[in-house]
Amino acid sequence: MFPDGNYGLGSDEISTGTSIMAVEFDQGVVIAADSRTTSGPYIANRVTDKLTPIHDHIFCCRSGSAADTQAIADIVAANVELDGVQMGGLPLVKKAAEIFRGYCYSYRDSLSAGIIVAGWDPKEGGQVFTIPLGGMLVRQPFSIGGSGSTYIYGHVDATFKKNMSREDCVKFCSNSLALAMNRDGSSGGVIRIAIIDKNGVERRALLGEEIPRFYEG
Amino acid sequence: MSSIGTGYDLSAAQFSPDGRVFQVEYALKAVENSSTAVGIKCKDGIVLAVEKLISSKLHEKDSNQRICNIDSHIGMAVAGLLTDAREVVDIARSEAANYRAQYSAPVPLKYLVERVASYVHAYTLYAAVRPFGASVLLASFVDDKPELYMVDPSGVALGYNGCAIGKARQGAKTEIEKLKLGELTCEEALKEAAKVIYVVHDEVKDKSFQLQMSWVGTNSKGRHQRVPEELVESAEAYAKQSMEESDSDDE
C-alpha cells in the first residue's frame, strides 16, 4: 500500500516527521515541538531539538526534511545577524520570517520545509508567522505544523482562547502536542518548550511522566 | 583656496601625494555651482526646501523637480549636476522598491542611505567612471522619529538636524544654526526654510527663482509630499516680509 515499504511511517530520507506549534501571548510567544527524527521506521534521534534559534529573541520550529530546514535556518540566522548589526538593535520577527519565505518560495520545487517563525521584538511584541510547504507567509495568533498537527486541528480550534496568559499558553501547547504525539507515528519523545519575551528565552522540556496523558484506549 | 592637482587629478583611481582624490574634490565643486537646497529636522517631521533657479521664462513651472519621492515615506532633495542627481534618485527608488519586494516592509532610511552612499562611493574608485557631481538630502518620518541624511559625491553619509547643499550652503548653514531646531514644528519650519532660501539667494547673480518645498511628518501623516500651495505662499510672504524688515534695519 505504501510504495516505499515503510508502512506510512515516513520516507527513508531523514525527516522531522513532527508536531510543532507556536502561540502568541500578550508579552511574547510560546513555541513547542516534539523530539522525534525518523529515517523510515527507524527513530534516528528521540531527543531532537526542533526549536532552532535564529537570533536572541527569534526562534523557528522546523518540520519536513531535517537537512533542508537546518540549511535554511543557518542561512537565515546569518542574514538576520547581519541585519541586527547593520540596523542597530533587535531584528524584527517579520524580517526573519520574510527572509525564510524568500528561500522557501524561490526553491519550493527542491525543498521540503514547513517552518513556524516566532519571537519577540520591541516594535510589535510577540508574533507567530507560519510558512507552509509552498512558501506562503502568514501571521497567525497561533499556528500548528508538522505531520502530527493534522490530528489536533479540532482540538486546538476548540481550546484556543484569545488573551491567554503565559502559563495558559504553555498548557495549551503541551496538551495539544501530547495528543498529536500520541496519534502520529512520526512524532514522539519529549515535549520541548521555549518561551520568548523581552527578557529573552526560557527553555523547558516535559519528560516522560510530565507529559499530559489523555485517553489511551 | 584651490590647489592644482596636476597629474594626479586625471582619474578617481589615483591618490595625490598629499592623500587627496582630486576627482572627488572636483565633483564637490560641481555641487557648489548649483543652487541651494536645505533640510530642517523638526519635532514632528522634516522640511526640505530648494531654490530652483529659472533659466528661461518659457520653462513649464513644475517640470524638472529638484525634490523627488523615493518611496511614499522618503523624500530626496538634490543639488549639483541634475542629470547625475537623476541617476542617484533612480538608484534610491530601485533599492527602496527591492527592499519592499523582499521584506514586505518600507525600507528604513538608515538602510537606504547606506545603500545609496555605497553606490555613490563605488564611482569614486575606478578610472573608467567619474564620480557623481551631485549631493542629495534624504528625509523620512517613521514611528514618530524624523531622520535627515546627506550623501555627497565622495559617498559620505551623515545624519543631520539641519543641512544645506549647493552654492550658498555656508550662508544657509549659518542661518539654520540660528534656529532652535529641537523645538520647531514643521509649520514653523516652513517659514524659516523659506526665509533661509530668500536670505541666501543672490539677487545680483541669479535672477528669478522658484521656491520648492516638501515635507514629511505628522502633518502629512508620514508621507513625503509637496507642501500645499497656500502654505508655500504664506511661507514666502513671511520670508519676503522678514527680508524687508531686516533691510529696513540697516539704516
Side-chain angles (χ1 to χ4, degrees), chain A residues 128-181:
Chain A
V128 169
F129 292 91
T130 186
I131 306 163
L133 243 43
M136 116 171 152
L137 170 69
V138 71
R139 180 179 174 185
Q140 296 179 307
F142 75 95
S143 187
I144 56 176
S147 54
S149 68
T150 54
Y151 303 103
I152 53 170
Y153 273 98
H155 169 76
V156 295
D157 285 348
T159 319
F160 175 74
K161 288 188 295 295
K162 285 196 267 204
N163 301 321
M164 282 194 286
S165 72
R166 181 193 174 103
E167 285 307 319
D168 281 346
C169 287
V170 173
K171 206 92 206 80
F172 176 54
C173 286
S174 48
N175 284 345
S176 309
L177 287 193
L179 288 164
M181 285 153 66

Side-chain angles (χ1 to χ4, degrees), chain A residues 195-214:
Chain A
I195 308 157
I196 310 170
D197 61 16
K198 70 178 193 292
N199 300 319
V201 186
E202 182 199 331
R203 300 216 55 170
R204 301 187 197 169
L206 297 179
L207 317 169
E209 297 291 325
E210 299 164 338
I211 298 174
R213 290 170 69 172
F214 297 91

Side-chain angles (χ1 to χ4, degrees), chain B residues 60-81:
Chain B
E60 209 180 67
K61 179 165 172 265
D62 287 325
S63 76
N64 217 21
Q65 288 286 340
R66 298 264 307 268
I67 308 182
C68 311
N69 261 342
I70 300 304
D71 197 333
S72 51
H73 64 299
I74 295 179
M76 183 188 272
V78 306
L81 298 175

Side-chain angles (χ1 to χ4, degrees), chain A residues 22-26 28-29 93-94 97-98 116-121 123-132 136-143:
Chain A
V23 191
E24 290 177 9
F25 68 96
D26 180 38
V29 294
V93 181
K94 179 168 182 188
E98 292 280 355
I116 301 177
V117 181
W120 180 91
D121 65 47
K123 192 169 170 201
E124 295 279 334
Q127 300 144 75
V128 169
F129 292 91
T130 186
I131 306 163
M136 116 171 152
L137 170 69
V138 71
R139 180 179 174 185
Q140 296 179 307
F142 75 95
S143 187

Side-chain angles (χ1 to χ4, degrees), chain A residues 89-101:
Chain A
L90 287 176
L92 298 177
V93 181
K94 179 168 182 188
K95 183 124 194 213
E98 292 280 355
I99 300 174
F100 256 114
R101 184 266 290 266

Side-chain angles (χ1 to χ4, degrees), chain A residues 79 83 85-88 94-95 98-99 101-102 123 137, chain B residues 99 101-105 108-111 114-115 142-143:
Chain A
N79 276 350
D83 181 72
V85 165
Q86 266 185 333
M87 296 307 298
K94 179 168 182 188
K95 183 124 194 213
E98 292 280 355
I99 300 174
R101 184 266 290 266
K123 192 169 170 201
L137 170 69
Chain B
Y99 188 96
Q102 243 189 321
Y103 301 113
S104 302
L109 184 58
K110 187 173 169 180
Y111 182 87
E114 281 182 26
R115 299 289 295 185
V142 171
D143 293 334

Side-chain angles (χ1 to χ4, degrees), chain B residues 117-139:
Chain B
S118 299
Y119 185 86
V120 168
H121 172 245
Y123 281 71
T124 68
L125 297 170
Y126 308 106
V129 296
R130 65 163 173 79
F132 286 98
S135 285
V136 301
L137 298 171
L138 284 145

